[in-house]
Amino acid sequence: MLGKLTWAAIPFDQPIPMIASGVVALSILAILAWVVIRGHLPYLWREWITSVDHKRIGVMYTLLAMVMLLRGFSDAIMMRAQQAVAFHGQGFLPPEHYDQIFSAHGTIMIFFVAMPFMIGLMNFVVPLQLGVRDVAFPTLNSVGFWLTATGALLINISLVVGEFARTGWLPYPPLSELTYSPGVGVDYYLWAIQISGVGTLVSGINLVTTVLKVRTRGMSYLRMPMFCWTTLATNLLIVAAFPILTATLAMLLLDRYLGFHFFTNEAGGNMMMFMNLIWTWGHPEVYILVLPAFGIFSEVFATFSGKPLFGYRSMVAATMAICILSFMVWLHHFFTMGAGADVNAIFGIATTIIAVPTGVKVFNWLFTMYGGKVRFQTPLLWSIGFMVTFIIGGMTGVLLAVPPADFVLHNSLFLVAHFHNVLIGGMLFGAFAGYTYWFPKAFGFKLHEGLGQAAFWCWLVGFYVAFMPLYVVCLLGMTRRMQHYDVPEWHPWLIVAAFGAGLILCGIVLQIVQLVVSIRQRAKLRDETGDPWDGRSLEWATASPPPAFNFAVLPEVSGEDAYWKLKHPATGQARSHQRPEYQAIEIPRNSPTGFVCAFFATMMGFALIWHIWWMVAAGAIGAFATFIVFAWRDHDEDVIPAAEVARIDGSHRAQRYAILSKEAAE
C-alpha cells in the first residue's frame, strides 16, 4: 500500500534532524494557526496563493528564496562547525549525516535560493521596466512558481522522512546508481530537481517571450534597461540549458528505476557522458545566476551615480557574448579526466576568453561612477562589495582555467573558495542589492538604512573571514568534503572559517531585524512619490506599490533612461502632469491552477520516491484534470472600469505632484 515507506524511514535515533524538523513543523503550524485565527486565510488565497500578477509572484519567489537561504545556511553553519571541532575526532556529525548536509546545502543554495531569488526579481521588475501590464503568460507564471516550491518542499521532507542524497550537489555516477546508493536520497534529489526544473523552464520561456514580444510603444531593443537585457540573456540560457538537465536526470532515473545502463561503464554505458551532459547545463547555470546580478548592478550604479550607464551598447554586447561563450567552457570542470592536452587547451582558452566581456562590465561600472554624484546608500554598498569580491573570484577562476594549475588544485578547498567567491560575491550580493533597491517599489516603504549597512558589513567581512582561509588550507593539502582530519596545520584556519560563518550569521540576523523594524516604522519610511532613489527607468514612474494594472496609460518611450527623460526636461515634466484619457483595462483573472498543479506534483513526486504507484496514478489524473478545467474556463480576464483607473491614477499623480512642488519650493 505504501511502497517502501515504513516507520524506519523516520530517523528517531538521530537527534539533530528530529529536533530541526520538529522546530520547522511547529513554526509552520504556528504560522498557519495565526493566519486562520486572525482571519487572513481568505485574503491570502485570493490575493497571493491564486494570484497571477507578476508582482505578487515575484515577491513570492523572493520570499521562498529567503526562507530557503535560512535552511541552506543552517547546513553551512553545521559544516563549518563540524570541521572546526573534528580535529583528531569525529565531531558532532556522523559521516552519513555530514554527507547529506553538504549535498543538501549545495542543492538548496543553487536551485532554491539563487534561482528563485533572481527569477523573483526578474518577474517583479521586467514588465514594469518594459512599460507593460504583465508577463506574456500570467497563469503559466504561477505554475512555474508553485512547481519550484514543490521541489523545495520535497527536499525539506527528506529531512525527516527518509534521507537526502550523499553524492554532492551533482549526483555523479556510479555513486548515484542504485548499486551504490540504494536508499531514497538520490530519488529525493532527482524528483525535486526534475519538478522544479520544469517550473524554471516554463518561467524562462515566459520571460523570453515577454522581453521579445511584450514591450511598450517605442521600447526598441536598444532602449531597454540593462536589467531587461540580462534577463533576456539569462532566460535564453534557461531555455537552452534546462532541457539538457531534464534529459540527463531522466536517464539517471531510468538507470535507477528500470535498470537501464546509460551511465554504467561495465554494462555498455559511459559515466563520463553524465559529466559532459551535466556540465553542459552546469556552466551556463553559473551565468544564469550571475547575469541578472550584473543587470541589477548596472541599474544601481547608474541610479546612485546620477548619470547614464557608461558604454550601454558595449554592455549589451558583453552580455550577449557571455550568453554564447558560456556554452563553450564546460569541460574545464573535469580537466583531469584524461581528454588530452589539445582538448584541455581549447577549453582553457575559451574559459580565459569569457573573462573579457566580464572585465568590460567592471570597467563600465567604474566609469559610470567616475564623475558622478555618488550616493553611498545600501544598494550601492552591495554593488561595490560585489565588484571587489567578484574580481578576486574571477582571478581565481582564470587560474583554474589553466589545465596544469587545475591538476594541482582540482577537488581541493581552493575550488570551494573560488565558487563561493563568485556566487556569494556575485549572485547573492546582487540579489541583496536588488532586494534593497526595489523593496520600496514592491511594498511602498524603504528598508531601514542603518541596519541595512550594518548587515552589509557583517556579510562582507564575514565572507572574507570565512572563505579566504580555505585558499590557505587548499595550499596545505586539504581536499573537499572531509568530515574529520588529523593535520594540525589545518585546524586554526578552519576555526577562523567557522568564525567567519558566524559573522555572516550576524548579517542574516541583522537583515531579519531590518525587515521587522522597517515594517514597524513603515509610516516613517513611506515612499509617497513612487521614486525614492531618483531612478531612471519606467518602474519608478508608477506608484509604490504599483496598482494591479501597472500603468493607467501605457508610456511611450523615445530613448534610453525613459523615465529620466520624462521627468527632467521641462516639456516632459509638464506633459507628465496632464490628465490622460483613461480607458477600461483588462487584467488576467486569478487562478488556482498553479497551486493545484503543485499539490498533485508533490503527491506524484513523493509517491515516485517511495514507489507508491496508486498515488502516482492519482496525482497524474489530478494534474491532467486541472489542466482540462483550466483549458475550459469561461472567463480568463477581469475588467477594471475607466472610472476606477482614473481614481487610482489620479490620486497617485496628485500626491506625487504635491510632493515634487513642495520639494521645488524648498
Side-chain angles (χ1 to χ4, degrees), residues 496-507:
V496 173
F499 178 71
L503 286 176
I504 294 175
L505 177 61
C506 292

Side-chain angles (χ1 to χ4, degrees), residues 204 218 323 347 358 418 470 537 612:
C323 181
F347 281 88
T358 308
H418 157 71
L470 302 190
S537 45
I612 309 173

Side-chain angles (χ1 to χ4, degrees), residues 77 80 84 461-462 465-466 493-506:
I77 282 284
R80 293 272 72 86
V461 175
V465 176
W493 294 105
L494 294 171
I495 292 174
V496 173
F499 178 71
L503 286 176
I504 294 175
L505 177 61
C506 292

